[in-house]
Amino acid sequence: SVLLLGLCEYYKVSKDEIILEYMRKLTDGIMAMQILDDKSEYYGAFLSWQNSWHAWGNLQSYALLKCYPILNDKELLSSVLKELDNYYPTLISNGYLNSFTVESIEGNVKVLQKEKYSQIAYNIRPMVFALLEAYKITGKEEYAEKAALAARWFTGQNILNAVMYNSETGRVFDGINSEVELNQNSGAESTVEGLLTLNKIFANKTALKYFLTTDK
């Protein structure tokens, strides 16, 4: 996903057709990793590696959406919206996940293992970025609303009702280790990812409206 984001920006400057072909191959590869069993609770999720998904830096949807204006591929957009419309709401309503592993038997997805913790800022930021990009492309306000809801993880809408972001210092806690343990360390990654997320929300008037008014 990170490579794809880089190629996307490079193509905008270079218009190099070889780069465009690389982008198509990478987007096709990401879409091939999507769970398409609509009976699965993970319907729409883009797997991270083989048969595993992890929340950490899960930028697939965001990267695909950044490429969409260039590739103008309706299948790409449809693929992303499957994740945003089906899997993201499941993640949010169930209090998020750290990872899961599945196997597919004749097209039916069976969950082998899932882990709820730890939860960190780099789990949340990709979701917010993807949802706001979907709002930009589709104009559908529901995506801005979902982005705001996900971002409220930083202000207390999480399993511990813990405020992860300190508005006075800009500090962001490292994460949530369990249903009873808050990691009160504050590393650079957590702070940067948290601030990137909140800056993105505050730069979007529609998302900010929901961020400031959505009830817990």
Side-chain angles (χ1 to χ4, degrees), residues 11-22:
Y11 176 78
K12 290 177 184 178
V13 175
S14 70
K15 305 301 180 184
D16 187 333
E17 291 297 316
I18 294 177
I19 298 300
L20 194 64
E21 186 59 28
Y22 290 159

Side-chain angles (χ1 to χ4, degrees), residues 22-191:
Y22 290 159
M23 290 171 62
R24 289 193 180 101
K25 288 180 179 179
L26 287 170
T27 55
D28 286 348
I30 290 174
M31 289 190 289
M33 297 288 285
Q34 187 169 40
I35 293 178
L36 296 176
D37 177 5
D38 60 9
K39 296 181 179 60
S40 170
E41 62 183 311
Y42 303 139
Y43 174 52
F46 292 107
L47 294 175
S48 305
W49 170 249
Q50 295 182 348
N51 63 335
S52 298
W53 176 93
H54 60 75
W56 183 82
N58 197 283
L59 286 161
Q60 289 94 315
S61 276
Y62 178 63
L64 291 175
L65 287 173
K66 293 297 287 185
C67 292
Y68 173 70
I70 296 172
L71 300 177
N72 195 28
D73 183 345
K74 299 296 184 183
E75 183 180 350
L76 182 156
L77 181 59
S78 176
S79 181
V80 170
L81 296 184
K82 280 188 180 72
E83 179 167 73
L84 272 56
D85 293 342
N86 297 283
Y87 183 52
Y88 276 18
T90 298
L91 266 182
I92 294 169
S93 64
N94 290 336
Y96 302 98
L97 279 176
N98 174 274
S99 63
F100 67 77
T101 304
V102 295
E103 67 176 356
S104 180
I105 302 174
E106 297 181 350
N108 298 315
V109 171
K110 176 184 177 182
V111 179
L112 299 178
Q113 181 183 12
K114 61 180 177 180
E115 299 289 340
K116 198 173 181 69
Y117 306 101
S118 61
Q119 296 178 13
I120 60 175
Y122 203 17
N123 297 5
I124 307 300
R125 198 266 290 180
M127 296 177 63
V128 172
F129 272 44
L131 288 162
L132 289 179
E133 196 66 24
Y135 171 61
K136 176 181 175 182
I137 290 171
T138 68
K140 293 183 178 179
E141 197 166 310
E142 64 188 87
Y143 295 119
E145 183 178 7
K146 288 177 186 175
L149 187 59
R152 286 174 66 90
W153 181 87
F154 291 98
T155 56
Q157 196 158 328
N158 53 60
I159 194 71
L160 294 180
N161 296 317
V163 177
M164 308 297 291
Y165 163 68
N166 186 318
S167 60
E168 294 182 1
T169 65
R171 178 230 68 211
V172 178
F173 285 145
D174 271 352
I176 297 173
N177 291 342
S178 71
E179 291 183 0
V180 295
E181 183 183 356
L182 174 66
N183 184 344
Q184 296 189 48
N185 294 325
S186 183
E189 178 189 288
S190 300
T191 295

